[in-house]
Amino acid sequence: MSRVGHKIKAALLQVHSIAGLILALLLALIALTGAIMSFEDEIVDHLNADIMHVAPRTAPVLMPDELVARLKAAQDFGKVSAVTLSSDPSATVRVRFARDEQGARPMSLYVDPHDARVLGSPRGEEFFATVRRLHRWLLIPGDAKGWGRQITGVAALGLIVMLVSGLVLRWPRRAGSVKMWLKPNLGIGGRALHRSLHAVIGTWVLPVYLVMTLTGLWYSFDWYKDGVVWLLSRPHVAAAKMETKAPRAPGRAEPVQPIGFDQAWTTFRREEGERFSRALLTLPAGSGTVIRIRSWGKDSTLDTTRDEFRIDAVTGQLVSAERYADKTLGEKIIANVLDIHRGAVLGWPGKLVFMIAAALMPLFSVTGILLYLSRRKLRRPAQPPLGRLVPGE
């Protein structure tokens, strides 16, 4: 290797080491919390299997407004913000609540669709909500509006730097040899073993980490999100997605009569018929009257393959309909960012691979720190030998 090549690699080694030392613990925390959430849906469904369905009966299911009214009459759980309804009359209704004045959100409830009887709160919901806040925002106050969002984004950018610099530093003389790239040398010990594990296993998981970071940045930086939307969406779709929300007029009063779900639900059922499996109806956070309805088809296997409707809750007018089947390839990629991020687009094997890769992040933190310390020890100048005393001196 030329002298220039040695200098470049030495500089990359410094960048790789410094970034790793600064971000090691943070990346390990983010990765481990991501691994915990890999099979969240399956775990939560298993824990709540006994309250997610009721015995089939001939009685008709309640309209959403009647269900909410009966729920409030029984006990004041707080302001309802969303309900999840199903085309299956034996499936329970999930009711979610708005945050209280202190910013805390009450736990959601599973409710019998026929008589609004409360069946219980979903087990595991609070645990996974805390893990998610730790993963995305590090539990820093403000959640998505706080500094945690930017910190995790900087960590993701730092990981990209480490992936690229690590690949260059790791590039073997025989680049075409699969054995050189993928087989760790387990017959050695000490610093050589740490280096082998760090480099070889890092090569295995590098593509997964690259996908994780490139999709994770979507949730940290608006400029990145807007750039991806501009690149992958049709012009009119990109313009609509990047359109900023109109500021609320000062002194504008809240509506006197709270809006309900029934008008929007009736319009949605007229539009969709029985093609949907479940639908999430979310009330507007402010003073608007447009309800957002996310709908999953009966053949949908991913949480992100959904249609989205916006319907005026007062008039029942369909404001917009965004169907997944009508999206371009780029727009489908945008819609599936979360499932790409966690490997779910590849089914449960993909989620398992991504979970294992995330769980391995502490290995790189530990071996990287050990390599740095051993390198510092090797570079430390040797102590000059003490002169021997000559008899008589």
Side-chain angles (χ1 to χ4, degrees):
M1 184 184 294
S2 66
R3 182 176 298 179
V4 175
H6 277 295
K7 289 184 177 180
I8 292 175
K9 280 208 166 185
L12 285 176
L13 181 59
Q14 288 295 321
V15 171
H16 188 86
S17 300
I18 293 171
L21 288 172
I22 294 174
L23 300 174
L25 295 179
L26 179 58
L27 288 173
L29 175 65
I30 294 172
L32 286 176
T33 50
I36 291 171
M37 293 189 296
S38 294
F39 288 91
E40 175 186 353
D41 295 338
E42 291 81 356
I43 294 171
V44 171
D45 288 349
H46 176 73
L47 292 175
N48 298 285
D50 58 329
I51 60 173
M52 293 180 66
H53 289 84
V54 295
R57 66 185 93 165
T58 57
V61 298
L62 299 173
M63 288 292 284
D65 286 349
E66 175 66 16
L67 184 141
V68 170
R70 292 194 187 187
L71 184 64
K72 288 183 175 181
Q75 183 178 345
D76 185 12
F77 293 97
K79 181 183 177 182
V80 173
S81 64
V83 294
T84 301
L85 304 169
S86 175
S87 61
D88 180 3
S90 67
T92 54
V93 176
R94 187 169 181 177
V95 181
R96 301 180 183 180
F97 302 94
R99 296 185 183 275
D100 57 24
E101 294 179 355
Q102 288 73 37
R105 187 187 298 276
M107 291 189 66
S108 56
L109 297 173
Y110 282 115
V111 179
D112 190 313
H114 301 280
D115 56 18
R117 178 170 54 92
V118 175
L119 302 175
S121 296
R123 305 177 188 95
E125 180 185 59
E126 189 172 0
F127 169 77
F128 281 111
T130 302
V131 173
R132 188 175 301 106
R133 290 177 59 233
L134 181 58
H135 178 76
R136 293 182 176 180
W137 311 307
L138 307 175
L139 297 181
I140 293 175
D143 291 345
K145 297 180 181 179
W147 284 101
R149 181 175 176 230
Q150 283 73 34
I151 293 174
T152 55
V154 170
L157 291 173
L159 181 56
I160 292 176
V161 171
M162 286 189 287
L163 292 174
V164 174
S165 59
L167 180 63
V168 175
L169 291 169
R170 204 266 142 126
W171 198 273
R173 294 179 181 177
R174 290 181 293 158
S177 172
V178 175
K179 180 179 177 181
M180 291 288 291
W181 281 108
L182 303 178
K183 184 179 179 181
N185 188 352
L186 302 179
I188 53 180
R191 184 175 188 275
L193 177 62
H194 300 155
R195 179 180 175 82
S196 180
L197 293 174
H198 192 88
V200 176
I201 299 179
T203 302
W204 294 351
V205 299
L206 187 147
V208 175
Y209 285 172
L210 195 58
V211 171
M212 286 179 175
T213 51
L214 291 177
T215 51
L217 288 170
W218 172 275
Y219 300 99
S220 292
F221 298 117
D222 290 334
W223 58 264
Y224 182 88
K225 183 176 182 178
D226 291 344
V228 172
V229 169
W230 174 82
L231 183 65
L232 298 180
S233 296
R234 289 166 291 180
H236 69 279
V237 175
K241 285 186 177 294
M242 289 186 285
E243 182 180 354
T244 56
K245 295 181 180 179
R248 185 177 171 182
R252 183 177 178 180
E254 295 286 343
V256 177
Q257 187 69 25
I259 62 174
F261 295 99
D262 282 1
Q263 288 279 16
W265 179 238
T266 301
T267 300
F268 170 77
R269 291 298 300 268
R270 186 172 63 246
E271 289 289 325
E272 283 293 274
E274 296 300 323
R275 291 192 296 270
F276 76 102
S277 171
R278 58 189 173 95
L280 170 62
L281 287 70
T282 304
L283 292 174
S287 59
T289 61
V290 176
I291 289 180
R292 183 186 67 189
I293 301 181
R294 288 178 173 174
S295 166
W296 290 265
K298 294 182 177 179
D299 58 346
S300 176
T301 57
L302 296 175
D303 185 63
T304 49
T305 55
R306 62 188 179 227
D307 300 330
E308 186 164 315
F309 303 86
R310 296 185 183 273
I311 302 174
D312 192 294
V314 177
T315 64
Q317 180 183 359
L318 179 65
V319 177
S320 66
E322 187 178 305
R323 298 185 182 275
Y324 183 82
D326 296 335
K327 296 179 183 292
T328 63
L329 176 60
E331 290 162 2
K332 288 180 178 179
I333 292 174
I334 292 173
N336 285 297
V337 163
L338 178 59
D339 282 325
I340 296 172
H341 181 70
R342 60 195 187 120
V345 289
L346 303 176
W348 72 262
K351 292 169 74 171
L352 181 62
V353 169
F354 275 54
M355 182 189 74
I356 294 173
L360 284 172
M361 181 63 78
L363 170 70
F364 303 108
S365 300
V366 173
T367 54
I369 291 173
L370 290 175
L371 286 171
Y372 174 80
L373 294 176
S374 62
R375 190 161 58 248
R376 288 288 301 269
K377 185 177 180 180
L378 289 173
R379 289 177 178 176
R380 191 177 301 159
Q383 294 292 333
L386 296 175
R388 293 184 178 179
L389 293 177
V390 178
E393 292 186 347

